[in-house]
Amino acid sequence: MTRTILASGDLAPALAELKHWLGITRSADDAQLTALIGAGVESCEAFTGITPLACTIEETLGASHEWARLVTRPIAQVTGVELIDTGGARTAMAEDEYDLHLAGDGSGQLRLRRGPFASRVVVTLDAGLAPDWTSLPDGLRHGILRFAAFLHREGEQAAGEPPAAIAALWRPWRTLRLA
């Protein structure tokens, strides 16, 4: 399974908040700080299993008549399902060619109704818990900011799990699944 983020939300409000937190007033470091916020969003998603901010994502998975779980959640809507042949060409699938199950917890599963299954399927979807930075729940937002500040201060030594104070902010949102 491959997952690609096609479009993500505006992080300018997060940048302003992080700069205030760190006491930075100049704009020379904006690109680096925005990248650290992006790393914080990715770490939050990896820790919680939830895509925090609205974005458009493509998931590529093997074509099968068996149910395949989509990794991204919460899913707002599926905007397209395409079949990829062995040469890499994409063909849009009609709704009667696949079954899609979206659960109440925002997760989703997909299966094809008929074969052949010698290719892959690309599912394009809109997902995210909050439509923008200011709508993000406080625990997730503050955890992302603290993680970005931690990365800014610690540099390359900041590998692995988030610090305990950040994990405590994200833990109520964490979803664990049996594989």
Side-chain angles (χ1 to χ4, degrees):
M1 202 279 312
T2 305
R3 184 174 180 265
T4 306
I5 297 176
L6 300 178
S8 58
D10 179 23
L11 294 179
L15 176 62
E17 205 169 331
L18 179 62
K19 287 174 73 171
H20 179 73
W21 178 284
L22 294 173
I24 297 174
T25 56
R26 61 180 194 195
S27 60
D29 298 328
D30 285 3
Q32 178 195 18
L33 293 174
T34 301
L36 294 177
I37 294 166
V41 170
E42 289 174 9
S43 294
C44 176
E45 183 171 1
F47 187 87
T48 62
I50 294 173
T51 303
L53 292 170
C55 57
T56 302
I57 297 173
E58 269 189 356
E59 287 194 24
T60 304
L61 43 128
S64 173
H65 69 283
E66 299 291 329
W67 286 107
R69 182 181 301 257
L70 300 172
V71 175
T72 304
R73 60 181 284 272
I75 298 170
Q77 68 176 348
V78 173
T79 58
V81 178
E82 298 172 303
L83 202 58
I84 302 178
D85 65 19
T86 54
R90 292 184 179 202
T91 305
M93 297 184 73
E95 288 185 19
D96 65 346
E97 295 180 291
Y98 62 88
D99 291 317
L100 178 66
H101 174 71
L102 297 177
D105 67 351
S107 64
Q109 297 182 48
L110 177 91
R111 71 176 176 189
L112 301 183
R113 291 187 179 168
R114 53 188 168 274
F117 301 120
S119 58
R120 294 168 291 149
V121 175
V122 175
V123 180
T124 305
L125 50 94
D126 294 330
L129 186 64
D132 55 34
W133 179 256
T134 56
S135 302
L136 199 58
D138 288 341
L140 295 177
R141 194 175 84 248
H142 288 295
I144 291 168
L145 284 176
R146 287 178 184 213
F147 193 77
F150 170 73
L151 292 175
H152 179 71
R153 290 183 184 125
E154 299 298 319
E156 297 197 15
Q157 295 82 22
E161 290 288 315
I166 296 167
L169 290 168
W170 291 343
R171 194 167 289 116
W173 296 92
R174 191 172 199 176
T175 302
L176 299 176
R177 289 200 171 136
L178 298 176

